[in-house]
């Protein structure tokens, strides 16, 4: 979080790029693009910058068009844009702001103005990122929270039903967690939850989603993963947690698995089946994996 923020300077004039980059390079990681298209290419390739300083008057694709495209893209749209415009040009400040830009800097460039405006917008962006993170993540373990899981799960289920690939869900519950809290206190209980979440993240693939769903309950949503692969993955996780010894304690988990039924199953139905499977795993003696019936 303390890394330097990244500013992408977009201008068709090499001189302007040099001046702006020179003003910002001590405080920011500065990237440059000499055309609108080059800017979009850089954004598409990622990682996304924290701010765009965007010249309006450029050949081929002007700053307005770049702004329009950035704001139309769900991933890029949150990048704040400051337009850089010539004093004597007829660039329309009001128009730029209606496109979603947050501020304007007029040429000739005055270093103190650039620094102040950029600093303000980067600070707001960082605050907004932090709030977004807090809204979607569990504060103790930093994995996604229940709210985010439910938001994303609906989309994943819809896409899975449309595209016909497979989606599986692991519902993990720490065995006898109440005893951990009762015997060793809540701080130790928290350490167990954190260590457990870290272990789940270690095994995370790009398409997987790990969330803390309740007190000692976690969900791993496995995209492009059928029931058989989910069982293998769950067994590896179960073993890894048995070996983990968080806070010096032997901790185990029971895991219920469900694969989304092709046709018209909802996330809730899949979750209910995983929950029954989890219940069976508990009944059968815990520290085990049980798959829901289709
Ligand atoms: Mg220009």
């Amino acid at each position: 979080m303390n890394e330097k923020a990244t500013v992408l300077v977009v201008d068709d004039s090499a001189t302007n790029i040099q001046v702006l980059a020179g003003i910002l390079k001590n405080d920011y990681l500065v990237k440059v693009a000499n055309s609108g298209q080059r800017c979009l290419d850089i954004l598409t390739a990622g990682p996304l910058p924290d701010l765009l300083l965007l010249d309006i008057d450029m050949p081929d694709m002007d700053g307005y068009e770049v702004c329009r495209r950035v704001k139309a893209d769900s991933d890029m749209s949150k990048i704040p844009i400051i337009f850089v415009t010539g004093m004597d040009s007829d660039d329309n400040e009001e128009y730029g702001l209606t496109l979603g830009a947050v501020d304007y800097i007029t040429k000739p460039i005055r270093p103190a103005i650039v620094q102040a405006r950029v600093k303000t917008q980067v600070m707001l962006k960082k605050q907004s990122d932090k709030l977004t993170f807090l809204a979607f993540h569990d504060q103790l373990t930093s994995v996604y929270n229940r709210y985010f899981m439910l938001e994303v799960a609906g989309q994943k289920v819809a896409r899975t039903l449309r595209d016909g690939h497979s989606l599986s869900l692991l519902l993990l519950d720490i065995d006898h967690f109440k005893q951990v809290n009762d015997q060793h206190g809540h701080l130790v209980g928290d350490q167990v939850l954190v260590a457990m979440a870290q272990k789940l993240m270690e095994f995370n693939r790009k398409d997987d989603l790990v969330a803390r769903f309740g007190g000692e309950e976690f969900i791993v949503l496995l995209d492009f993963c059928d029931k058989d692969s989910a069982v293998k993955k769950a067994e590896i996780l179960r073993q890894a947690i048995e070996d983990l010894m968080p806070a010096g304690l032997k901790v185990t988990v029971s895991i219920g698995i469900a694969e989304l039924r092709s046709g018209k199953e909802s996330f809730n139905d899949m979750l209910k089946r995983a929950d029954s499977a989890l219940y069976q795993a508990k009944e059968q003696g815990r520290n085990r994996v049980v798959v829901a019936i289709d």
Side-chain angles (χ1 to χ4, degrees):
M1 280 302 226
N2 290 324
E3 289 164 19
K4 277 187 182 179
T6 307
V7 177
L8 176 57
V9 178
V10 190
D11 202 306
D12 61 312
S13 145
T15 314
N16 285 344
I17 284 186
Q18 224 172 9
V19 170
L20 288 166
I23 293 169
L24 299 171
K25 69 172 193 287
N26 285 335
D27 300 313
Y28 307 96
L29 183 63
V30 179
K31 292 185 176 178
V32 300
N34 59 9
S35 73
Q37 188 54 55
R38 180 81 192 113
C39 165
L40 294 174
D41 292 345
I42 289 173
L43 295 180
T44 306
L48 296 176
D50 297 294
L51 181 75
L52 272 186
L53 270 189
L54 184 56
D55 181 28
I56 292 174
D57 185 21
M58 295 186 289
D60 300 326
M61 190 191 299
D62 67 13
Y64 292 139
E65 182 56 25
V66 175
C67 180
R68 228 175 265 125
R69 295 194 189 192
V70 168
K71 293 299 161 187
D73 181 287
S74 59
D75 290 327
M76 303 176 186
S77 65
K78 288 170 198 73
I79 308 169
I81 295 178
I82 298 179
F83 276 127
V84 182
T85 170
M87 275 276 235
D88 51 354
S89 71
D90 50 7
D91 298 332
N92 184 334
E93 177 166 347
E94 203 178 306
Y95 180 60
L97 295 176
T98 64
L99 291 179
V102 290
D103 208 348
Y104 251 78
I105 292 173
T106 42
K107 296 171 193 167
I109 304 290
R110 285 161 294 171
I113 299 284
V114 173
Q115 278 165 349
R117 298 252 164 101
V118 168
K119 187 178 174 187
T120 300
Q121 294 306 332
V122 165
M123 190 186 72
L124 290 172
K125 168 68 164 44
K126 291 282 180 194
Q127 284 174 353
S128 156
D129 286 353
K130 195 172 171 191
L131 287 175
T132 305
F133 184 89
L134 289 173
F136 293 151
H137 290 77
D138 174 52
Q139 292 198 31
L140 176 67
T141 62
S142 291
V143 297
Y144 287 117
N145 59 22
R146 182 190 186 99
Y147 170 78
F148 183 81
M149 170 59 79
L150 291 173
E151 284 287 304
V152 171
Q155 298 163 18
K156 287 209 183 232
V157 164
R159 213 195 52 214
T160 303
L161 294 175
R162 192 181 63 226
D163 298 350
H165 63 259
S166 41
L167 179 75
S168 297
L169 181 151
L170 312 185
L171 185 60
L172 302 88
D173 189 88
I174 303 178
D175 297 324
H176 300 300
F177 186 66
K178 191 174 176 300
Q179 285 178 20
V180 174
N181 278 327
D182 289 349
Q183 289 172 13
H184 305 278
H186 286 275
L187 282 179
V188 172
D190 284 355
Q191 284 173 30
V192 168
L193 291 168
V194 170
M196 166 106 181
Q198 277 170 357
K199 189 50 76 177
L200 295 179
M201 289 305 290
E202 243 175 67
F203 285 90
N204 206 25
R205 299 171 312 163
K206 191 174 132 287
D207 293 319
D208 302 347
L209 205 75
V210 176
R212 184 171 173 207
F213 207 60
E216 67 265 30
E217 210 170 57
F218 291 84
I219 279 185
V220 184
L221 195 59
L222 302 164
D223 223 344
F224 303 97
C225 181
D226 65 14
K227 198 168 54 185
D228 295 338
S229 307
V231 170
K232 282 184 197 136
K233 175 130 188 174
E235 189 49 47
I236 291 170
L237 285 174
R238 189 204 57 73
Q239 186 62 56
I241 288 160
E242 190 176 358
D243 297 339
L244 184 62
M245 301 290 289
L249 302 173
K250 172 148 181 180
V251 171
T252 61
V253 286
S254 300
I255 306 179
I257 300 179
E259 181 182 345
L260 189 73
R261 284 174 177 149
S262 51
K264 243 195 160 179
E265 193 173 38
S266 69
F267 178 75
N268 253 333
D269 293 337
M270 177 168 65
L271 183 60
K272 270 186 206 150
R273 286 191 298 118
D275 196 42
S276 314
L278 173 63
Y279 181 77
Q280 286 174 44
K282 296 280 185 188
E283 286 286 292
Q284 290 169 21
R286 299 179 167 83
N287 190 21
R288 69 194 60 215
V289 174
V290 171
V291 188
I293 348 155
D294 288 323

